[in-house]
Amino acid sequence: MDNPKQRYKELGDFLRTRRAKILPSQVGLPEGTRRRTIGLRREEVSFLSGVGLTWYTWLEQGRPITISSQVIESLARTLMLDKKETMHLYNLARLTPPTEIATYDNTVNPMLKHVLDNIEFSPATILDQRYNVIAWNRASEKLLYDYNKLDTSKRNMLRIMFTNEEYKKTIIDWESTAQSMLARFRIAYGKLVEDPYIKELVEELKSESKEFNSWWTMHNVEMEEEIVKSITHPILGELNFEYTSYMVLSDRNLKMTILTALPGSDTEKKIKQFLLG
């Protein structure tokens, strides 16, 4: 027989032990000299995961509160849970885990992150199959968007494209670009149609974006392909790129996207002057 009280206590204890294992430096926070808490503080976990501090405190205290798949996903990413730990967290929350669970420890393989960081003048990002932004390089942060501005739970490329007004203003011909991304996502959706996280994401975007809600009903699909993409940078003006994407062989749930300066344009010259200046 299920014992909800014991299950919630187990969930809270599990989160607390995993919080204690994460050093502030691992998530970009200062260590501090007067720090008494081992690992992360509750308020740091709530901030990084995009959930309220009171709500998260209640969760660790074992109170019977409602938990969504998106929150589980966000907590797993913040606490750098591996696949076994993430599956356990889903089970404790009495939620159906997705068919494929990404690995959150250290964000991406260090060797893959090294490759990303060494692509100096081309914005590059790594996305998971749900279009969550897992990692990005300096060129992407300086030329496209600084994902550090967003809570971990909000770093979803589809969400950014349709609901982030700051990002939308940088896209030349946003409507066409957004429709194309949605059509490519529809292919991924076909494989993840029963994924609770995806279901919640789609429902939220349908309510938050009238364009998404309208275009989603069209069921348009596109395969991943090389395209030309143009953006407007607040300092550099118009930048034109060739967009390519590559599956990560070590983890088929991930793909790397790279924007390379369009040959014959002045984009490469602008970028080098900007990033080196």
Side-chain angles (χ1 to χ4, degrees), residues 52-68:
L53 175 57
T54 299
W55 185 91
Y56 180 74
T57 300
W58 287 352
L59 192 61
E60 279 202 2
Q61 290 174 344
R63 299 197 188 190
I65 56 180
T66 303
I67 313 168
S68 71

Side-chain angles (χ1 to χ4, degrees), residues 109-122:
N109 180 294
M111 190 176 294
L112 185 59
K113 186 64 167 64
H114 185 233
V115 171
L116 196 67
D117 291 339
N118 276 272
I119 303 175
E120 189 173 2
F121 300 115
S122 295

Side-chain angles (χ1 to χ4, degrees), residues 5-247:
K5 185 176 181 180
Q6 181 59 35
R7 178 161 50 81
Y8 282 115
K9 180 182 183 302
E10 183 73 15
L11 174 60
D13 290 345
F14 180 67
L15 290 173
R16 189 162 51 253
T17 59
R18 291 313 178 266
R19 172 166 62 87
K21 289 186 174 184
I22 306 299
L23 296 175
S25 58
Q26 290 179 274
V27 292
L29 296 175
E31 295 285 352
T33 56
R34 299 181 180 179
R35 195 176 187 93
R36 295 181 180 180
T37 303
I38 299 175
L40 296 179
R41 301 185 179 103
R42 280 176 176 169
E43 56 265 32
E44 291 168 339
V45 174
S46 71
F47 171 74
L48 292 169
S49 303
V51 299
L53 175 57
T54 299
W55 185 91
Y56 180 74
T57 300
W58 287 352
L59 192 61
E60 279 202 2
Q61 290 174 344
R63 299 197 188 190
I65 56 180
T66 303
I67 313 168
S68 71
S69 296
Q70 283 190 318
V71 168
I72 292 296
E73 193 92 3
S74 184
L75 288 173
R77 191 182 305 281
T78 297
L79 298 173
M80 298 182 179
L81 303 186
D82 61 23
K83 291 183 180 181
K84 299 187 298 293
E85 291 170 325
T86 303
M87 181 71 76
H88 183 56
L89 189 58
Y90 268 97
N91 290 335
L92 289 174
R94 276 289 186 266
L95 292 171
T96 303
T99 304
E100 294 289 341
I101 294 178
T103 301
Y104 299 102
D105 49 320
N106 296 321
T107 309
V108 294
N109 180 294
M111 190 176 294
L112 185 59
K113 186 64 167 64
H114 185 233
V115 171
L116 196 67
D117 291 339
N118 276 272
I119 303 175
E120 189 173 2
F121 300 115
S122 295
T125 58
I126 294 177
L127 308 178
D128 68 13
Q129 58 184 346
R130 301 179 189 88
Y131 279 50
N132 289 318
V133 181
I134 304 300
W136 59 93
N137 64 358
R138 179 173 177 266
S140 182
E141 181 176 318
K142 297 297 183 182
L143 299 172
L144 295 184
Y145 190 77
D146 183 0
Y147 301 107
N148 290 302
K149 296 178 180 179
L150 302 174
D151 293 334
T152 306
S153 61
K154 303 299 183 183
R155 290 177 192 163
N156 179 278
M157 205 61 241
L158 206 64
R159 179 187 296 282
I160 294 169
M161 176 65 79
F162 279 92
T163 67
N164 189 301
E165 295 303 320
E166 179 185 357
Y167 182 83
K168 289 168 69 172
K169 290 177 182 177
T170 68
I171 306 298
I172 296 176
D173 193 6
W174 175 83
E175 184 170 317
S176 175
T177 302
Q179 287 191 42
S180 181
M181 176 182 286
L182 184 58
R184 295 196 302 273
F185 172 75
R186 194 91 204 202
I187 297 291
Y189 178 81
K191 302 175 183 178
L192 302 169
V193 67
E194 296 180 354
D195 184 333
Y197 178 89
I198 289 293
K199 289 181 180 179
E200 291 176 18
L201 175 65
V202 169
E203 289 306 311
E204 286 185 12
L205 289 178
K206 284 166 67 176
S207 66
E208 294 174 13
S209 168
K210 66 179 186 300
E211 293 90 354
F212 183 96
N213 186 49
S214 175
W215 299 336
W216 184 250
T217 62
M218 298 178 182
H219 289 262
N220 292 335
V221 294
E222 287 182 16
M223 297 298 292
E224 197 77 30
E225 61 182 0
E226 293 74 25
I227 58 174
V228 173
K229 183 175 181 178
S230 299
I231 68 168
T232 299
H233 189 272
I235 298 175
L236 303 179
E238 183 172 332
L239 300 175
N240 300 292
F241 298 98
E242 292 179 331
Y243 168 93
T244 55
S245 64
Y246 308 88
M247 300 304 297

